Amino acid sequence: MTTTEAPQAPQQTGAGTAHADQLLEMYRRMRRIRRFEERASDLYKATEIPGFLHLSIGQEASAVGACWPLGPRDGITSTHRGHGHVLAKGLDSASMMAELMGKEAGTCHGRGGSMHIADPGLGIYGANGIVGAGLPIATGVATAAKLRAAGDVVVAFFGDGAVAQGMFHEAVNLAAVWDLPVVFLCENNHYSEFSPAAEQHRAPLSARAAGYGIGYAHVDGNDVLAVAGMMADVVERLRGGGGPVLVEAETYRWHGHYEGDPERYRSAQEVAAAKERDPLLVARRHLATAGVPAAAADAVDEEIDKEIEAAVEWARGLPEPAPETLYDFVSAPRPARPEPAPATGEIFRSMDAVRLALEHELAADPAVFVAGIDVGAGGNVFGLTRGLAEAFPGRVRDTPISESAILGTAVGAAMAGMKPVVEIMYMDFIGVCLDMLLNQAAKLRFMTGGRAAMPLVVRTQFGAGRSSGSQHSQSLEALLAHIPGLTVVMPSNPADTYGLLRAAIQDPNPVVFVENRLQYGFKGPKPPVDHMVPLGRAKVVREGTDITLVSWSRMVQDALAAAESLAAEGVSVEVIDLRTIAPLDRETVLASLARTNRLVIAHEAVRDFGVGAELAALAVDEGFWHLDAPVTRVAPPPMPAPYAPSLERLWLPSSDTIADTLRRIAAV
């Protein structure tokens, strides 16, 4: 299938006319969107299209006009109502129709469907089923464009309902602070799902733009010539270094929020009145003014009707994805790495390991950049990035306190070819921006059928034991490990911190890299500069014959201390450091269990529904015939971390707690 490339923006006169051939091409693109969506509606009713379907019939002019001045390198992000946007940017109708039907030859190999179509190769960084989620992603694409200084721009489409989302505020504010080349284009169709816009917002978009200190423009979203002319001016200004602009295109959707919507919230008379401003009829009037005969537009109608019917028939005859492809696209293949030799260099700290790993990757790869709250001038709240902003100007970037925007920026930049390393100051704050991990970073490669690359790292830290309280002490690795597509890493010593962080930055998958802040001062031998530790592989850090003890992060040190205590009592404990939580190295754990026939798991996260439970399930399933004793977990009880030191000591396991459990299991 071929794609459509936008010609030059229309040449306008005072009368608002354009060259006839350009007007006719605008009309062709709008007609393509209209007919595609009309046929999609028919096919949905006939059950040939499964899943949800949200159509933008009536909004064609805003999509075509907004994309008209864009080139192949420019980007867009879209919404759950995104067919028009991606068609206007150049995606072919046939592969899209196949995608809607869930076919293997669809744009995203049948993994995304209507709401998740993307093709970063065409500058299409994804339609999105989460309201407002495309806006932070657009800031990431725009960040990549700014770092490359190639004059590219990004258009972030959103509906008026998304203005109520926190992601809208965070994305627009970050774009304003960073002067990013992004157009936030609101297709104001006057309804937020079922609710009139007047019931959703009190401040107009013009006032919001002023509040952010950015430009604002209003346009008739049903007039493609008006939209294209205004966008040509805006895009030209952005290419010249201008900051973000908020554009409001007033339009109206003819169909309901979704196909099958009973539409009890508006009258048939209201819809009929809106149809009098049909964008295609408005365009036909422009064609007549430019002297284009009606027969030319009629010929376009016939041409597009044939194109879409051919797309439907082609898609109908295609196979669905084969069963053996079920696991395709979940994660990108990662390079095989050998286990490095033990570190033998001078003594250094875990905090030094973090800084040195970041410094090495920033120096080695211009696609790497670092962003987060106070990581630049402030050098990180723990001083981990001190000096990096000066050494790598523009590539170690302070952000507002906007976790969703930070992570969304990483997602968009990764899709645009960068390797972002972003920091969430405390692991507890992952909850503030969980959508960007759960529904974006982890899923976009799969939902786009492998089209979206996602090489990003989210650095964060945790650690109980210093009276940080319930909102600054949580170990949430089980929450993250339960999200397919994410890699979760938790090092236990300085050398592994260096080697795992470097491997994470070079990995093609989204990695959450979790440090323990109580270990920042922990000392160990420094590895050579080329030291890299393989992701997804655990390590036996103490050999033994009687009990397997599995742990990770700081608690590995307590596990080793407990094993030393038991050795003096004649009990040989084998200690495994998981290092990577997800994907889980089942083989190393099962091999150890086969040698020792007993399994104890110690972790800092609360006991219930944790990684320890997953390891226990592994032992009683695949390792059942090796077990000579119950599988036992040593972990805090399922309650928030206490603040009072006396209660926190009682709540958090220690080397003594682990040793007591090992003695009990050894005696079974």
Side-chain angles (χ1 to χ4, degrees), residues 407-429:
L407 260 173
T409 295
V411 170
M415 280 199 285
M418 305 297 284
K419 294 180 180 178
V421 182
V422 296
E423 179 180 302
I424 300 299
M425 190 178 290
Y426 285 81
M427 195 179 191
D428 312 70
F429 303 167

Side-chain angles (χ1 to χ4, degrees), residues 502-570:
R502 284 197 60 220
I505 296 171
Q506 294 186 25
D507 198 75
N509 297 291
V511 179
V512 183
F513 193 89
V514 186
E515 301 146 16
N516 190 300
R517 65 177 171 274
L518 274 67
Q519 281 202 301
Y520 281 144
F522 184 68
K523 297 177 180 179
K526 185 178 180 181
V529 293
D530 62 351
H531 186 76
M532 293 254 276
V533 176
L535 301 181
R537 194 177 306 168
K539 184 177 182 180
V540 176
V541 292
R542 180 188 177 105
E543 294 183 349
T545 57
D546 297 329
I547 303 175
T548 296
L549 174 57
V550 180
S551 192
W552 52 93
S553 191
R554 184 176 69 92
M555 199 154 283
V556 169
Q557 307 308 323
D558 289 329
L560 288 168
E564 186 68 23
S565 297
L566 268 290
E569 301 169 21

Side-chain angles (χ1 to χ4, degrees), residues 37-204:
E37 300 225 279
E38 287 173 343
R39 290 298 284 125
S41 179
D42 296 338
L43 294 165
Y44 180 82
K45 292 170 185 172
T47 69
E48 292 189 67
I49 291 178
F52 298 117
L53 191 68
H54 306 79
L55 302 181
S56 63
I57 294 176
Q59 301 182 187
E60 297 87 354
S62 57
V64 171
C67 291
W68 187 261
L70 302 183
R73 289 205 318 262
D74 297 317
I76 67 168
T77 60
S78 183
T79 71
H80 57 277
R81 201 178 309 284
H83 304 154
H85 307 145
V86 298
L87 283 168
K89 187 59 170 69
L91 200 56
D92 69 280
S93 55
S95 69
M96 279 183 60
M97 192 63 75
E99 183 63 29
L100 266 59
M101 291 185 180
K103 301 302 180 71
E104 175 64 37
T107 307
C108 301
H109 298 290
R111 269 65 172 187
S114 171
M115 290 190 286
H116 307 113
I117 292 175
D119 187 348
L122 293 175
I124 299 168
Y125 293 95
N128 212 297
I130 308 299
V131 173
L135 302 176
I137 293 173
T139 65
V141 180
T143 299
K146 183 161 186 173
L147 288 173
R148 293 185 178 120
D152 303 335
V153 303
V154 183
V155 176
F157 290 98
F158 64 102
D160 50 282
V163 177
Q165 282 279 356
M167 287 185 286
F168 167 83
H169 163 72
E170 292 193 24
V172 177
N173 186 60
L174 179 62
V177 170
W178 283 4
D179 286 319
L180 296 178
V182 57
V183 181
F184 295 100
L185 195 145
C186 177
E187 292 180 300
N188 185 355
N189 62 27
H190 301 285
Y191 282 94
S192 302
E193 298 192 359
F194 302 163
S195 301
E199 296 179 3
Q200 297 286 302
H201 316 289
R202 288 294 178 262

